[in-house]
Amino acid sequence: MKAGKFRFVAKLAAWALFGSGVFVFIALPDNKYAWMQQMDPSMALPPDDASGDRAIFALLLLAAIVASQLALLVTAAHRREKAWTAVLALTAIVLWSSRFWR
């Protein structure tokens, strides 16, 4: 595989990781019992999920997204590409913190 093809595949994989990671951040509820309040609106608050597994998974996914975007930032040849990778990494951080930061 030529270097240009490998670079394109690596960029495509990083962008796909970003897209799927953002989709998971949006789709993954911060509390596994949030659906209960939708089914019975009389409930004041859903029960507390003390395990925190969802937040840990989302944090690991965030780390993978940021690492891939930083790898693209380091290997970027153009200023515009560097700006886009930085913006995408910051977008993932802001989205994660808006959903899972307590």
Side-chain angles (χ1 to χ4, degrees):
M1 185 180 282
K2 294 183 180 180
K5 253 187 197 181
F6 179 75
R7 182 176 162 88
F8 177 74
V9 170
K11 281 185 188 182
L12 192 61
W15 292 332
L17 178 65
F18 174 79
S20 61
V22 166
F23 176 73
V24 168
F25 286 158
I26 292 170
L28 186 69
D30 55 349
N31 187 337
K32 71 179 179 181
Y33 300 113
W35 64 271
M36 294 175 92
Q37 195 171 20
Q38 294 172 354
M39 296 297 287
D40 185 11
S42 66
M43 288 181 62
L45 292 172
D48 188 29
D49 181 20
S51 68
D53 291 341
R54 293 172 188 272
I56 291 171
F57 172 74
L59 184 62
L60 290 174
L61 183 61
L62 175 69
I65 290 171
V66 170
S68 69
Q69 292 300 317
L70 288 178
L72 285 180
L73 181 70
V74 169
T75 61
H78 303 289
R79 179 179 273 184
R80 177 179 269 172
E81 188 178 358
K82 288 182 181 188
W84 271 109
T85 58
V87 165
L88 290 179
L90 289 175
T91 301
I93 291 170
V94 167
L95 185 61
W96 179 86
S97 63
S98 70
R99 296 280 303 208
F100 296 100
W101 189 269
R102 293 178 195 192

